Amino acid sequence: MLTIDGFKQALRHAQSEIEANKDTLTDLDRAIGDGDHGINMSRGFEAVVAVLDDDYASLGDLSRKVGMTLMSKVGGAAGPLYGSAFVKAAPKFGDATEADFKLVKEALLEASTAIKARGKSEVGQKTMVDVWEPFLSDLSEADDFDAKLDRLVGETEDMIATKGRASYFGENSRGTVDPGALSSSIVLKAIMKEVE
Ligand SMILES: [Mg+2]
């Protein structure tokens, strides 16, 4: 079950993991982008943690607030993507104060759909979609969530980017893990840990 406190704990955990991986995210984005992903995600999740002391009536309210905070605080391409993910997951959580595995999966599927729509991207383009969509498409409660996420992040290494700034690197984008895929795995691991 994901409770409101559990959701808050997941976001705090995500923030500390992003902080621990900030330099890695920066290095990856420097290799195939503009090098701002670590700083942007760090700033965004610090802002998220700052709103967690407030009271929320439902998982939907919390998810909406998180999304709007990320939208305004995370720069680059990632802000609108992560922001819309949490904003669009909010109606699926609705007034619920706790969510079972099925509801969490449904809400995350809404988030994944929002990311694809906002980024106009599909699987195979070396973006965060390559983590979100395959992670959720056949997700079962019995899965080893962390192992599945690590595998999907690793699979972006051999892909050639055809979307966003990384696509300018063409063939040279091969050999680098997508930074958005890595940050997505961090966020999803933190959430799934609280659902287990
Ligand atoms: Mg960037």
Side-chain angles (χ1 to χ4, degrees), residues 122-147:
E122 297 292 333
V123 159
Q125 296 186 306
K126 197 181 180 95
T127 71
M128 62 172 74
V129 170
D130 290 306
V131 164
W132 283 85
E133 183 160 293
F135 177 67
L136 293 165
S137 62
D138 62 351
L139 188 66
S140 123
E141 219 166 344
D143 288 348
D144 182 337
F145 306 130
D146 285 12

mmCIF file of all heavy atoms in Angstrom, residues 122-147:
data_model
loop_
_atom_site.group_PDB
_atom_site.id
_atom_site.type_symbol
_atom_site.label_atom_id
_atom_site.label_comp_id
_atom_site.label_asym_id
_atom_site.label_seq_id
_atom_site.Cartn_x
_atom_site.Cartn_y
_atom_site.Cartn_z
ATOM 1 N N GLU A 122 8.570 8.140 -28.429
ATOM 2 C CA GLU A 122 8.182 6.734 -28.392
ATOM 3 C C GLU A 122 9.345 5.910 -27.846
ATOM 4 O O GLU A 122 10.472 6.398 -27.765
ATOM 5 C CB GLU A 122 7.838 6.243 -29.801
ATOM 6 C CG GLU A 122 6.639 6.934 -30.459
ATOM 7 C CD GLU A 122 5.319 6.592 -29.766
ATOM 8 O OE1 GLU A 122 5.215 5.509 -29.166
ATOM 9 O OE2 GLU A 122 4.400 7.431 -29.816
ATOM 10 N N VAL A 123 9.052 4.677 -27.535
ATOM 11 C CA VAL A 123 10.091 3.753 -27.095
ATOM 12 C C VAL A 123 11.159 3.610 -28.178
ATOM 13 O O VAL A 123 10.848 3.615 -29.371
ATOM 14 C CB VAL A 123 9.459 2.377 -26.770
ATOM 15 C CG1 VAL A 123 10.491 1.263 -26.806
ATOM 16 C CG2 VAL A 123 8.787 2.409 -25.408
ATOM 17 N N GLY A 124 12.430 3.523 -27.780
ATOM 18 C CA GLY A 124 13.517 3.275 -28.728
ATOM 19 C C GLY A 124 14.258 4.526 -29.154
ATOM 20 O O GLY A 124 15.180 4.454 -29.960
ATOM 21 N N GLN A 125 13.867 5.684 -28.606
ATOM 22 C CA GLN A 125 14.507 6.937 -29.010
ATOM 23 C C GLN A 125 15.569 7.410 -28.010
ATOM 24 O O GLN A 125 16.062 8.517 -28.107
ATOM 25 C CB GLN A 125 13.443 8.027 -29.213
ATOM 26 C CG GLN A 125 12.490 7.709 -30.367
ATOM 27 C CD GLN A 125 11.533 8.842 -30.651
ATOM 28 O OE1 GLN A 125 10.819 9.322 -29.764
ATOM 29 N NE2 GLN A 125 11.514 9.299 -31.891
ATOM 30 N N LYS A 126 15.870 6.539 -27.057
ATOM 31 C CA LYS A 126 16.881 6.858 -26.041
ATOM 32 C C LYS A 126 16.445 8.048 -25.190
ATOM 33 O O LYS A 126 17.134 9.066 -25.095
ATOM 34 C CB LYS A 126 18.243 7.152 -26.702
ATOM 35 C CG LYS A 126 19.449 7.083 -25.743
ATOM 36 C CD LYS A 126 20.733 7.421 -26.498
ATOM 37 C CE LYS A 126 21.957 7.380 -25.620
ATOM 38 N NZ LYS A 126 22.635 6.075 -25.708
ATOM 39 N N THR A 127 15.296 7.881 -24.568
ATOM 40 C CA THR A 127 14.795 8.915 -23.654
ATOM 41 C C THR A 127 14.269 8.222 -22.396
ATOM 42 O O THR A 127 14.295 6.992 -22.286
ATOM 43 C CB THR A 127 13.623 9.725 -24.264
ATOM 44 O OG1 THR A 127 12.457 8.875 -24.315
ATOM 45 C CG2 THR A 127 13.962 10.234 -25.656
ATOM 46 N N MET A 128 13.733 9.015 -21.486
ATOM 47 C CA MET A 128 13.150 8.436 -20.267
ATOM 48 C C MET A 128 11.969 7.517 -20.579
ATOM 49 O O MET A 128 11.631 6.648 -19.775
ATOM 50 C CB MET A 128 12.756 9.525 -19.271
ATOM 51 C CG MET A 128 11.701 10.495 -19.728
ATOM 52 S SD MET A 128 11.182 11.575 -18.352
ATOM 53 C CE MET A 128 12.594 12.667 -18.186
ATOM 54 N N VAL A 129 11.368 7.687 -21.760
ATOM 55 C CA VAL A 129 10.265 6.803 -22.161
ATOM 56 C C VAL A 129 10.726 5.349 -22.191
ATOM 57 O O VAL A 129 9.946 4.433 -21.906
ATOM 58 C CB VAL A 129 9.705 7.225 -23.548
ATOM 59 C CG1 VAL A 129 8.727 6.187 -24.093
ATOM 60 C CG2 VAL A 129 9.026 8.589 -23.451
ATOM 61 N N ASP A 130 12.010 5.140 -22.482
ATOM 62 C CA ASP A 130 12.546 3.778 -22.548
ATOM 63 C C ASP A 130 12.645 3.121 -21.183
ATOM 64 O O ASP A 130 12.897 1.914 -21.097
ATOM 65 C CB ASP A 130 13.923 3.783 -23.250
ATOM 66 C CG ASP A 130 13.759 4.090 -24.729
ATOM 67 O OD1 ASP A 130 12.975 3.386 -25.380
ATOM 68 O OD2 ASP A 130 14.370 5.058 -25.202
ATOM 69 N N VAL A 131 12.453 3.874 -20.142
ATOM 70 C CA VAL A 131 12.318 3.287 -18.809
ATOM 71 C C VAL A 131 10.833 3.200 -18.432
ATOM 72 O O VAL A 131 10.339 2.137 -18.062
ATOM 73 C CB VAL A 131 13.099 4.105 -17.757
ATOM 74 C CG1 VAL A 131 12.650 3.750 -16.344
ATOM 75 C CG2 VAL A 131 14.589 3.844 -17.909
ATOM 76 N N TRP A 132 10.133 4.302 -18.543
ATOM 77 C CA TRP A 132 8.742 4.361 -18.066
ATOM 78 C C TRP A 132 7.843 3.325 -18.744
ATOM 79 O O TRP A 132 7.163 2.554 -18.072
ATOM 80 C CB TRP A 132 8.159 5.765 -18.285
ATOM 81 C CG TRP A 132 8.620 6.762 -17.285
ATOM 82 C CD1 TRP A 132 9.771 7.490 -17.329
ATOM 83 C CD2 TRP A 132 7.939 7.159 -16.079
ATOM 84 N NE1 TRP A 132 9.848 8.315 -16.225
ATOM 85 C CE2 TRP A 132 8.746 8.139 -15.454
ATOM 86 C CE3 TRP A 132 6.728 6.790 -15.474
ATOM 87 C CZ2 TRP A 132 8.378 8.748 -14.243
ATOM 88 C CZ3 TRP A 132 6.367 7.405 -14.282
ATOM 89 C CH2 TRP A 132 7.194 8.360 -13.680
ATOM 90 N N GLU A 133 7.833 3.320 -20.077
ATOM 91 C CA GLU A 133 6.860 2.459 -20.750
ATOM 92 C C GLU A 133 7.136 0.963 -20.562
ATOM 93 O O GLU A 133 6.239 0.232 -20.140
ATOM 94 C CB GLU A 133 6.733 2.817 -22.230
ATOM 95 C CG GLU A 133 5.660 1.969 -22.903
ATOM 96 C CD GLU A 133 5.141 2.560 -24.188
ATOM 97 O OE1 GLU A 133 4.480 3.617 -24.127
ATOM 98 O OE2 GLU A 133 5.401 1.973 -25.252
ATOM 99 N N PRO A 134 8.346 0.489 -20.846
ATOM 100 C CA PRO A 134 8.557 -0.962 -20.670
ATOM 101 C C PRO A 134 8.513 -1.400 -19.203
ATOM 102 O O PRO A 134 8.172 -2.549 -18.914
ATOM 103 C CB PRO A 134 9.932 -1.217 -21.292
ATOM 104 C CG PRO A 134 10.584 0.095 -21.441
ATOM 105 C CD PRO A 134 9.502 1.138 -21.477
ATOM 106 N N PHE A 135 8.850 -0.494 -18.287
ATOM 107 C CA PHE A 135 8.760 -0.870 -16.869
ATOM 108 C C PHE A 135 7.311 -1.161 -16.501
ATOM 109 O O PHE A 135 7.009 -2.130 -15.804
ATOM 110 C CB PHE A 135 9.319 0.246 -15.976
ATOM 111 C CG PHE A 135 9.198 -0.052 -14.501
ATOM 112 C CD1 PHE A 135 9.923 -1.091 -13.931
ATOM 113 C CD2 PHE A 135 8.347 0.683 -13.684
ATOM 114 C CE1 PHE A 135 9.810 -1.396 -12.577
ATOM 115 C CE2 PHE A 135 8.222 0.391 -12.325
ATOM 116 C CZ PHE A 135 8.955 -0.653 -11.775
ATOM 117 N N LEU A 136 6.402 -0.329 -16.993
ATOM 118 C CA LEU A 136 5.005 -0.422 -16.567
ATOM 119 C C LEU A 136 4.176 -1.375 -17.403
ATOM 120 O O LEU A 136 3.190 -1.926 -16.912
ATOM 121 C CB LEU A 136 4.367 0.977 -16.606
ATOM 122 C CG LEU A 136 4.941 1.945 -15.574
ATOM 123 C CD1 LEU A 136 4.540 3.370 -15.910
ATOM 124 C CD2 LEU A 136 4.476 1.570 -14.172
ATOM 125 N N SER A 137 4.560 -1.572 -18.658
ATOM 126 C CA SER A 137 3.665 -2.284 -19.582
ATOM 127 C C SER A 137 3.283 -3.674 -19.072
ATOM 128 O O SER A 137 2.138 -4.074 -19.199
ATOM 129 C CB SER A 137 4.287 -2.354 -20.972
ATOM 130 O OG SER A 137 5.493 -3.076 -20.915
ATOM 131 N N ASP A 138 4.229 -4.398 -18.506
ATOM 132 C CA ASP A 138 3.889 -5.741 -18.016
ATOM 133 C C ASP A 138 4.276 -5.883 -16.542
ATOM 134 O O ASP A 138 4.644 -6.961 -16.098
ATOM 135 C CB ASP A 138 4.584 -6.811 -18.869
ATOM 136 C CG ASP A 138 6.108 -6.700 -18.783
ATOM 137 O OD1 ASP A 138 6.583 -5.692 -18.210
ATOM 138 O OD2 ASP A 138 6.803 -7.600 -19.265
ATOM 139 N N LEU A 139 4.193 -4.776 -15.820
ATOM 140 C CA LEU A 139 4.628 -4.790 -14.424
ATOM 141 C C LEU A 139 3.734 -5.674 -13.563
ATOM 142 O O LEU A 139 2.514 -5.574 -13.606
ATOM 143 C CB LEU A 139 4.615 -3.362 -13.856
ATOM 144 C CG LEU A 139 5.223 -3.203 -12.466
ATOM 145 C CD1 LEU A 139 6.712 -3.492 -12.500
ATOM 146 C CD2 LEU A 139 4.966 -1.794 -11.919
ATOM 147 N N SER A 140 4.356 -6.532 -12.807
ATOM 148 C CA SER A 140 3.609 -7.366 -11.876
ATOM 149 C C SER A 140 4.201 -7.204 -10.483
ATOM 150 O O SER A 140 5.367 -6.839 -10.318
ATOM 151 C CB SER A 140 3.644 -8.830 -12.346
ATOM 152 O OG SER A 140 4.173 -9.660 -11.347
ATOM 153 N N GLU A 141 3.343 -7.446 -9.497
ATOM 154 C CA GLU A 141 3.723 -7.244 -8.101
ATOM 155 C C GLU A 141 4.920 -8.107 -7.717
ATOM 156 O O GLU A 141 5.657 -7.783 -6.794
ATOM 157 C CB GLU A 141 2.524 -7.571 -7.208
ATOM 158 C CG GLU A 141 2.371 -6.639 -6.053
ATOM 159 C CD GLU A 141 1.011 -6.769 -5.377
ATOM 160 O OE1 GLU A 141 0.082 -7.347 -5.963
ATOM 161 O OE2 GLU A 141 0.903 -6.268 -4.249
ATOM 162 N N ALA A 142 5.104 -9.224 -8.432
ATOM 163 C CA ALA A 142 6.166 -10.177 -8.087
ATOM 164 C C ALA A 142 7.516 -9.780 -8.677
ATOM 165 O O ALA A 142 8.536 -10.384 -8.361
ATOM 166 C CB ALA A 142 5.777 -11.571 -8.574
ATOM 167 N N ASP A 143 7.520 -8.749 -9.535
ATOM 168 C CA ASP A 143 8.776 -8.351 -10.195
ATOM 169 C C ASP A 143 9.805 -7.831 -9.199
ATOM 170 O O ASP A 143 9.454 -7.292 -8.149
ATOM 171 C CB ASP A 143 8.514 -7.231 -11.224
ATOM 172 C CG ASP A 143 7.781 -7.731 -12.452
ATOM 173 O OD1 ASP A 143 7.676 -8.962 -12.621
ATOM 174 O OD2 ASP A 143 7.306 -6.883 -13.234
ATOM 175 N N ASP A 144 11.076 -8.002 -9.572
ATOM 176 C CA ASP A 144 12.161 -7.324 -8.873
ATOM 177 C C ASP A 144 12.278 -5.940 -9.532
ATOM 178 O O ASP A 144 12.885 -5.796 -10.589
ATOM 179 C CB ASP A 144 13.453 -8.130 -9.034
ATOM 180 C CG ASP A 144 14.627 -7.495 -8.290
ATOM 181 O OD1 ASP A 144 14.588 -6.274 -8.033
ATOM 182 O OD2 ASP A 144 15.584 -8.224 -7.978
ATOM 183 N N PHE A 145 11.648 -4.958 -8.906
ATOM 184 C CA PHE A 145 11.520 -3.637 -9.532
ATOM 185 C C PHE A 145 12.888 -3.010 -9.829
ATOM 186 O O PHE A 145 13.122 -2.494 -10.915
ATOM 187 C CB PHE A 145 10.706 -2.689 -8.647
ATOM 188 C CG PHE A 145 9.361 -3.213 -8.243
ATOM 189 C CD1 PHE A 145 8.964 -3.181 -6.910
ATOM 190 C CD2 PHE A 145 8.499 -3.751 -9.184
ATOM 191 C CE1 PHE A 145 7.709 -3.665 -6.532
ATOM 192 C CE2 PHE A 145 7.248 -4.243 -8.820
ATOM 193 C CZ PHE A 145 6.863 -4.199 -7.487
ATOM 194 N N ASP A 146 13.780 -3.063 -8.842
ATOM 195 C CA ASP A 146 15.096 -2.430 -9.019
ATOM 196 C C ASP A 146 15.880 -3.080 -10.158
ATOM 197 O O ASP A 146 16.493 -2.386 -10.975
ATOM 198 C CB ASP A 146 15.915 -2.522 -7.721
ATOM 199 C CG ASP A 146 15.429 -1.534 -6.667
ATOM 200 O OD1 ASP A 146 14.339 -0.946 -6.855
ATOM 201 O OD2 ASP A 146 16.130 -1.359 -5.652
ATOM 202 N N ALA A 147 15.834 -4.412 -10.215
ATOM 203 C CA ALA A 147 16.581 -5.123 -11.259
ATOM 204 C C ALA A 147 16.033 -4.786 -12.639
ATOM 205 O O ALA A 147 16.791 -4.570 -13.599
ATOM 206 C CB ALA A 147 16.519 -6.625 -11.015
#
